[in-house]
Every structure is written in structure tokens, then in C-alpha cells.
Amino acid sequence: MEFITVADAIKKGTGHVHLRGWVYRERKSNAFAFVVLRDRTNILQCVIKKENVSAEIWGAAESVLIESSVELGGTLKEDKRAPTGFEVEVDEFKIVHKAERFPITKDQSTEDLLDKRHLWIRSRELTAVWKVKAEILRACRDFFTKEGYFETTPPIITGSSCEGGSTMFHVDYFGEEVFLGQSAQLYLEAMIFSLEKVWALTPTFRAEPSKTSRHLTEFWMLEGETAWQDFEGLVQLEQGLLTVICQHVAKHCRDELTLLGRDYRELEKIKAPFPRITYTEAIEMLKKDGISIPWGKDLRTIEEEALVKHYDKPLWVTGYPKEIKAFYMKDDPNDARVVKCCDVLAPEGYGEIIGSSERETDVNILIKKLKMSGEKVEHYNWYLDLRRYGSVPHSGFGLGIERVVRWICKLESIRDAIPFPRTIKRSTP
Ligand code: 4AD
Ligand code: MG
């Protein structure tokens, strides 16, 4: 038997079709059973009329519960009252698996839903998020391929910290202490000496005790690193990538975005050129808004939110003070206080989505900065070798996939941007 998807059935609109999926909703009377069928594409109302089907089919229809898996056949017709505008009048109906009473009902607490996450990921809202996320990843891959980059596979188990020792997860590695990767950057930097233009998508771990709507302890980072690329080249690359992501999703995910409450036309407007300010300008802007922070302090959520209120596109903030940024960032030759770095802040207060910089190429400056940040230089010997054997100017960035998904899908929490969120309080299911 040939099955078609719900979306194809709706497109077809008439004729006899075979469908399979899960029971999204059911309602029964003495003479009718209404079953709303769900598959990966959409939902479709199906009606089983007692007088038209065998006793066996009626018995199955009458007993079916939500989330049972079923196969059915029937005739399509338009029906304005049905949730997606069409209805199937069923003449074949088979329960593949009769579900137990589904443990998720209306009005469940967030924690209950997270406990039942393995079942809740089937919800229509989350299904829409997974589709948008897959399209975002597709857009990223296409972008890097078109720009002539090589996808690479850096390690997760590591002995070196990239973003500071305090947020590393420690792992017992046959009696030796190692860590889960915080960023693949140092390894991508090594790879540019072979391939020049590289990227990777890796699971990333941060033991951040923050309980916020933008932090996960395990997330996916998309990173690119480019030999011979200066700071301007880096900003152009990031702007190209964000343009492609937003244009792709606005074109290919309209139904999903609508279901999630995001107007795709807002994303259509997100294309280069993008606004760009320096950290120092940001501090001045904040002062005018009545938010006074001393020069040298990192921007917190409230400051970032105040800044992006002035824009309806992602904002590039460049030149942060070197004291608050990582050891590998290159000093700005025009301003000794700052580094050649750039954070990208999403619109609407969704926070930082990209962290990036031109990299320091001088081995002695790197050693000095490592010592200043309290790191053990011997842990970085292999990395320092990269500046001993053919060092070149280079730059790169890291984009938090779930941060981007949260912004694009307008999600209240980053937890819903990943199927099985890992947070300070949660490591199951
Ligand atoms: O700004 P970060 O820490 O930059 C780096 O790790 C660089 N080594 C990347 C590079 O240059 N190759 O992290 C990059 C991005 C952030 O901008 C944010 O979007 C995301 O990763 N991110 C998180 N996402 C979810 N939960 C967390 N706890 C995150 N921490 C960072
Ligand atoms: Mg950052």
C-alpha cells in the first residue's frame, strides 16, 4: 500500500488516499468517531461513520486513544470547519499500536513537561522548532560550502580550556583529568594551517551555574576559522551567514514560523548591511538611556537589552576591553585598551548569538596573556606551536545554534530550542 503525507493529502484535496501517523485528537459519539491524524507534515481531521464501516473498524475507531499509531484509508473532501480545511471520510482503519492513556494533558507545569520531554517533543510547536532548526543548519552548511570552506571534526575531549577554566566539565579519563570541549576554536585554528578555511558544528559544554532563559550546559556551536582573514573580513563573513540563515528560513519555514508566532516578513528584512557600534559607543548610548556603567565592565543582559532596543536587526558590537575578553584575541593597534573582537546581539532582547575575534599571532603576547588570566602555559604548548611554525593572520567566530533558534522561533526559553535540554538542574531524560 502506498501512503502519502498529510501535507500532500491536503494539497491533493480530493480522491482516495492512504495515510499513517498518530492520533492527535479524538472525539466519539454513538454514530461518529473523529480522529485528527498527525504526521511529520501537518494534521488532518478524519471521520469514521459507524453506518459506513465494518464492525471491526468501528470497534477499533471507538477504542482508539490519543497518540496511538494508525493507518487509514478514505476519501478527501474540503471542510471549512476542520482544523486544516479538509476531512477524510474513512473506509479503512487499522491501529498499529494502541497507546496507553497519554500522560500529557492540558495545564501541565513546565517541570512536568520537561520530565516527559521524550513524549512532549512530539507536540506541534516543538515539531515546528525542530524543522526550523534543521533548516537553519542546512542554510549554514550551504553557506560554508558555497564560500569554499571545509567541514572538519574537532575533538570534544580536551586538556585545554578555550573560554576560561571555571566553566569546564571535568571528566575522569583513565585516571587523568580532562575536560569536555567549551569551543572547538583552538582545534580549528590548528586546522587552518592545513585547509585555510574550516568550519565545524560541535556539541559544546559549559558548566555555567546560570539559570536563565539563554543558557544551556550543553549546546551546539557552529564555528568558522579562516587563514589570512582580517577583522573586516570576519565581520563580512558573519553578516553573510546571518543574512543567508534569515532569508532561507523566511522562505522555507513560513508555516512553522506562523505556528510559532513569528512573522516571516520580519526575518525577510534581516539582511546586510547591519548596524555596527564599538563597545565605547555602546557605553555612551547607554548613558543617554540613563544606564550608567563604568568603561571596562562587561555588558550584562539588561545593558544588551537596552542597546538592541535602538535597532530592528542584529547588532555588531566591536572592540571590547581586553580585560574582559579571552587570551587569544588580538590587541587593537589603534587602541591599546581594546581587542579586535566582535559580539553579535540578536534583536528583541534575545542576547548574544555570536562571539568572534581576530586572533593574536605573537607567541610571546599569548604566553603573557595566558599567565595574566591564571592559565597553566604548559597546557597550551601545542597551541603555541601554531605561532612557531608559519603563523598567519587569522580570525574566526562561534555562533550558538540554540540562541539563534530561540530568536528566530520567538521562544520564551532556550530550553525549547533543543530536544533534550541540559541545564544546571536537569540531565534527564
Ligand atoms: O562567545 P563564546 O564564548 O565564544 C567562543 O567560545 C569562541 N571560542 C568562539 C570562536 O570564536 N570560535 O561562545 C560563542 C557563542 C555565544 O555567542 C553564544 O551564542 C553561544 O556560543 N553560547 C551559548 N549558548 C547556549 N548556552 C550557553 N551557555 C552558551 N554560551 C555561549
Ligand atoms: Mg561571548
PDB file of all heavy atoms in Angstrom, residues 17-31:
ATOM      1  N   VAL A  17      -7.190   8.318  -0.469  1.00  0.00           N
ATOM      2  CA  VAL A  17      -5.783   8.328  -0.031  1.00  0.00           C
ATOM      3  C   VAL A  17      -5.553   7.352   1.118  1.00  0.00           C
ATOM      4  O   VAL A  17      -6.500   6.984   1.832  1.00  0.00           O
ATOM      5  CB  VAL A  17      -5.346   9.737   0.455  1.00  0.00           C
ATOM      6  CG1 VAL A  17      -5.206  10.701  -0.708  1.00  0.00           C
ATOM      7  CG2 VAL A  17      -6.292  10.287   1.515  1.00  0.00           C
ATOM      8  N   HIS A  18      -4.298   6.931   1.269  1.00  0.00           N
ATOM      9  CA  HIS A  18      -3.886   6.158   2.438  1.00  0.00           C
ATOM     10  C   HIS A  18      -2.914   6.992   3.256  1.00  0.00           C
ATOM     11  O   HIS A  18      -1.964   7.560   2.710  1.00  0.00           O
ATOM     12  CB  HIS A  18      -3.225   4.843   2.011  1.00  0.00           C
ATOM     13  CG  HIS A  18      -4.199   3.871   1.463  1.00  0.00           C
ATOM     14  ND1 HIS A  18      -4.240   3.533   0.136  1.00  0.00           N
ATOM     15  CD2 HIS A  18      -5.199   3.178   2.080  1.00  0.00           C
ATOM     16  CE1 HIS A  18      -5.227   2.672  -0.058  1.00  0.00           C
ATOM     17  NE2 HIS A  18      -5.820   2.439   1.094  1.00  0.00           N
ATOM     18  N   LEU A  19      -3.163   7.070   4.558  1.00  0.00           N
ATOM     19  CA  LEU A  19      -2.350   7.912   5.442  1.00  0.00           C
ATOM     20  C   LEU A  19      -1.930   7.108   6.660  1.00  0.00           C
ATOM     21  O   LEU A  19      -2.602   6.142   7.043  1.00  0.00           O
ATOM     22  CB  LEU A  19      -3.172   9.117   5.914  1.00  0.00           C
ATOM     23  CG  LEU A  19      -3.762  10.017   4.836  1.00  0.00           C
ATOM     24  CD1 LEU A  19      -4.857  10.896   5.427  1.00  0.00           C
ATOM     25  CD2 LEU A  19      -2.677  10.878   4.216  1.00  0.00           C
ATOM     26  N   ARG A  20      -0.832   7.522   7.273  1.00  0.00           N
ATOM     27  CA  ARG A  20      -0.464   6.904   8.552  1.00  0.00           C
ATOM     28  C   ARG A  20       0.178   7.942   9.455  1.00  0.00           C
ATOM     29  O   ARG A  20       0.783   8.911   8.984  1.00  0.00           O
ATOM     30  CB  ARG A  20       0.452   5.711   8.352  1.00  0.00           C
ATOM     31  CG  ARG A  20       1.757   6.039   7.690  1.00  0.00           C
ATOM     32  CD  ARG A  20       2.557   4.765   7.496  1.00  0.00           C
ATOM     33  NE  ARG A  20       3.635   5.011   6.554  1.00  0.00           N
ATOM     34  CZ  ARG A  20       4.344   4.050   5.983  1.00  0.00           C
ATOM     35  NH1 ARG A  20       4.078   2.786   6.227  1.00  0.00           N
ATOM     36  NH2 ARG A  20       5.317   4.337   5.157  1.00  0.00           N
ATOM     37  N   GLY A  21       0.034   7.695  10.749  1.00  0.00           N
ATOM     38  CA  GLY A  21       0.579   8.654  11.701  1.00  0.00           C
ATOM     39  C   GLY A  21       0.056   8.372  13.099  1.00  0.00           C
ATOM     40  O   GLY A  21      -0.174   7.213  13.451  1.00  0.00           O
ATOM     41  N   TRP A  22      -0.118   9.430  13.851  1.00  0.00           N
ATOM     42  CA  TRP A  22      -0.537   9.306  15.245  1.00  0.00           C
ATOM     43  C   TRP A  22      -1.829  10.069  15.497  1.00  0.00           C
ATOM     44  O   TRP A  22      -2.085  11.077  14.827  1.00  0.00           O
ATOM     45  CB  TRP A  22       0.560   9.839  16.167  1.00  0.00           C
ATOM     46  CG  TRP A  22       1.782   8.984  16.113  1.00  0.00           C
ATOM     47  CD1 TRP A  22       2.102   7.970  16.960  1.00  0.00           C
ATOM     48  CD2 TRP A  22       2.843   9.046  15.147  1.00  0.00           C
ATOM     49  NE1 TRP A  22       3.295   7.393  16.579  1.00  0.00           N
ATOM     50  CE2 TRP A  22       3.766   8.036  15.471  1.00  0.00           C
ATOM     51  CE3 TRP A  22       3.088   9.851  14.032  1.00  0.00           C
ATOM     52  CZ2 TRP A  22       4.922   7.813  14.723  1.00  0.00           C
ATOM     53  CZ3 TRP A  22       4.234   9.631  13.280  1.00  0.00           C
ATOM     54  CH2 TRP A  22       5.138   8.622  13.640  1.00  0.00           C
ATOM     55  N   VAL A  23      -2.589   9.598  16.471  1.00  0.00           N
ATOM     56  CA  VAL A  23      -3.862  10.256  16.780  1.00  0.00           C
ATOM     57  C   VAL A  23      -3.569  11.496  17.617  1.00  0.00           C
ATOM     58  O   VAL A  23      -3.092  11.399  18.743  1.00  0.00           O
ATOM     59  CB  VAL A  23      -4.809   9.291  17.525  1.00  0.00           C
ATOM     60  CG1 VAL A  23      -6.076  10.028  17.954  1.00  0.00           C
ATOM     61  CG2 VAL A  23      -5.122   8.097  16.650  1.00  0.00           C
ATOM     62  N   TYR A  24      -3.853  12.638  17.018  1.00  0.00           N
ATOM     63  CA  TYR A  24      -3.550  13.903  17.682  1.00  0.00           C
ATOM     64  C   TYR A  24      -4.699  14.293  18.606  1.00  0.00           C
ATOM     65  O   TYR A  24      -4.489  14.820  19.700  1.00  0.00           O
ATOM     66  CB  TYR A  24      -3.333  14.957  16.601  1.00  0.00           C
ATOM     67  CG  TYR A  24      -3.018  16.336  17.109  1.00  0.00           C
ATOM     68  CD1 TYR A  24      -1.845  16.581  17.812  1.00  0.00           C
ATOM     69  CD2 TYR A  24      -3.901  17.394  16.879  1.00  0.00           C
ATOM     70  CE1 TYR A  24      -1.554  17.846  18.280  1.00  0.00           C
ATOM     71  CE2 TYR A  24      -3.611  18.663  17.343  1.00  0.00           C
ATOM     72  CZ  TYR A  24      -2.437  18.885  18.046  1.00  0.00           C
ATOM     73  OH  TYR A  24      -2.151  20.137  18.505  1.00  0.00           O
ATOM     74  N   ARG A  25      -5.912  14.019  18.159  1.00  0.00           N
ATOM     75  CA  ARG A  25      -7.103  14.297  18.962  1.00  0.00           C
ATOM     76  C   ARG A  25      -8.145  13.260  18.617  1.00  0.00           C
ATOM     77  O   ARG A  25      -8.138  12.750  17.484  1.00  0.00           O
ATOM     78  CB  ARG A  25      -7.677  15.674  18.600  1.00  0.00           C
ATOM     79  CG  ARG A  25      -7.421  16.722  19.654  1.00  0.00           C
ATOM     80  CD  ARG A  25      -8.098  18.009  19.249  1.00  0.00           C
ATOM     81  NE  ARG A  25      -7.140  19.066  19.018  1.00  0.00           N
ATOM     82  CZ  ARG A  25      -7.232  19.977  18.059  1.00  0.00           C
ATOM     83  NH1 ARG A  25      -8.232  19.946  17.191  1.00  0.00           N
ATOM     84  NH2 ARG A  25      -6.332  20.918  17.951  1.00  0.00           N
ATOM     85  N   GLU A  26      -9.047  12.932  19.532  1.00  0.00           N
ATOM     86  CA  GLU A  26     -10.151  12.042  19.173  1.00  0.00           C
ATOM     87  C   GLU A  26     -11.405  12.453  19.924  1.00  0.00           C
ATOM     88  O   GLU A  26     -11.329  12.978  21.032  1.00  0.00           O
ATOM     89  CB  GLU A  26      -9.787  10.568  19.419  1.00  0.00           C
ATOM     90  CG  GLU A  26      -9.110  10.258  20.745  1.00  0.00           C
ATOM     91  CD  GLU A  26     -10.058  10.023  21.904  1.00  0.00           C
ATOM     92  OE1 GLU A  26     -11.287  10.011  21.684  1.00  0.00           O
ATOM     93  OE2 GLU A  26      -9.574   9.882  23.040  1.00  0.00           O
ATOM     94  N   ARG A  27     -12.537  12.241  19.267  1.00  0.00           N
ATOM     95  CA  ARG A  27     -13.835  12.572  19.871  1.00  0.00           C
ATOM     96  C   ARG A  27     -14.840  11.581  19.289  1.00  0.00           C
ATOM     97  O   ARG A  27     -14.827  11.313  18.088  1.00  0.00           O
ATOM     98  CB  ARG A  27     -14.210  14.013  19.488  1.00  0.00           C
ATOM     99  CG  ARG A  27     -15.490  14.533  20.087  1.00  0.00           C
ATOM    100  CD  ARG A  27     -15.558  16.059  19.935  1.00  0.00           C
ATOM    101  NE  ARG A  27     -15.380  16.508  18.554  1.00  0.00           N
ATOM    102  CZ  ARG A  27     -16.375  16.599  17.669  1.00  0.00           C
ATOM    103  NH1 ARG A  27     -17.607  16.288  17.982  1.00  0.00           N
ATOM    104  NH2 ARG A  27     -16.117  17.037  16.437  1.00  0.00           N
ATOM    105  N   LYS A  28     -15.634  10.991  20.174  1.00  0.00           N
ATOM    106  CA  LYS A  28     -16.541   9.936  19.681  1.00  0.00           C
ATOM    107  C   LYS A  28     -17.985  10.185  20.104  1.00  0.00           C
ATOM    108  O   LYS A  28     -18.223  10.727  21.178  1.00  0.00           O
ATOM    109  CB  LYS A  28     -16.102   8.577  20.240  1.00  0.00           C
ATOM    110  CG  LYS A  28     -14.765   8.102  19.726  1.00  0.00           C
ATOM    111  CD  LYS A  28     -14.018   7.349  20.810  1.00  0.00           C
ATOM    112  CE  LYS A  28     -12.554   7.209  20.476  1.00  0.00           C
ATOM    113  NZ  LYS A  28     -11.782   6.842  21.668  1.00  0.00           N
ATOM    114  N   SER A  29     -18.897   9.747  19.242  1.00  0.00           N
ATOM    115  CA  SER A  29     -20.316   9.725  19.628  1.00  0.00           C
ATOM    116  C   SER A  29     -20.840   8.333  19.270  1.00  0.00           C
ATOM    117  O   SER A  29     -20.071   7.470  18.862  1.00  0.00           O
ATOM    118  CB  SER A  29     -21.082  10.812  18.873  1.00  0.00           C
ATOM    119  OG  SER A  29     -21.220  10.419  17.518  1.00  0.00           O
ATOM    120  N   ASN A  30     -22.143   8.124  19.365  1.00  0.00           N
ATOM    121  CA  ASN A  30     -22.701   6.802  19.034  1.00  0.00           C
ATOM    122  C   ASN A  30     -22.560   6.469  17.561  1.00  0.00           C
ATOM    123  O   ASN A  30     -22.431   5.303  17.200  1.00  0.00           O
ATOM    124  CB  ASN A  30     -24.189   6.751  19.407  1.00  0.00           C
ATOM    125  CG  ASN A  30     -24.356   6.782  20.911  1.00  0.00           C
ATOM    126  OD1 ASN A  30     -23.448   6.371  21.639  1.00  0.00           O
ATOM    127  ND2 ASN A  30     -25.490   7.286  21.374  1.00  0.00           N
ATOM    128  N   ALA A  31     -22.556   7.486  16.736  1.00  0.00           N
ATOM    129  CA  ALA A  31     -22.569   7.241  15.291  1.00  0.00           C
ATOM    130  C   ALA A  31     -21.274   7.625  14.577  1.00  0.00           C
ATOM    131  O   ALA A  31     -20.989   7.136  13.496  1.00  0.00           O
ATOM    132  CB  ALA A  31     -23.737   7.999  14.664  1.00  0.00           C
TER     133      ALA A  31
END
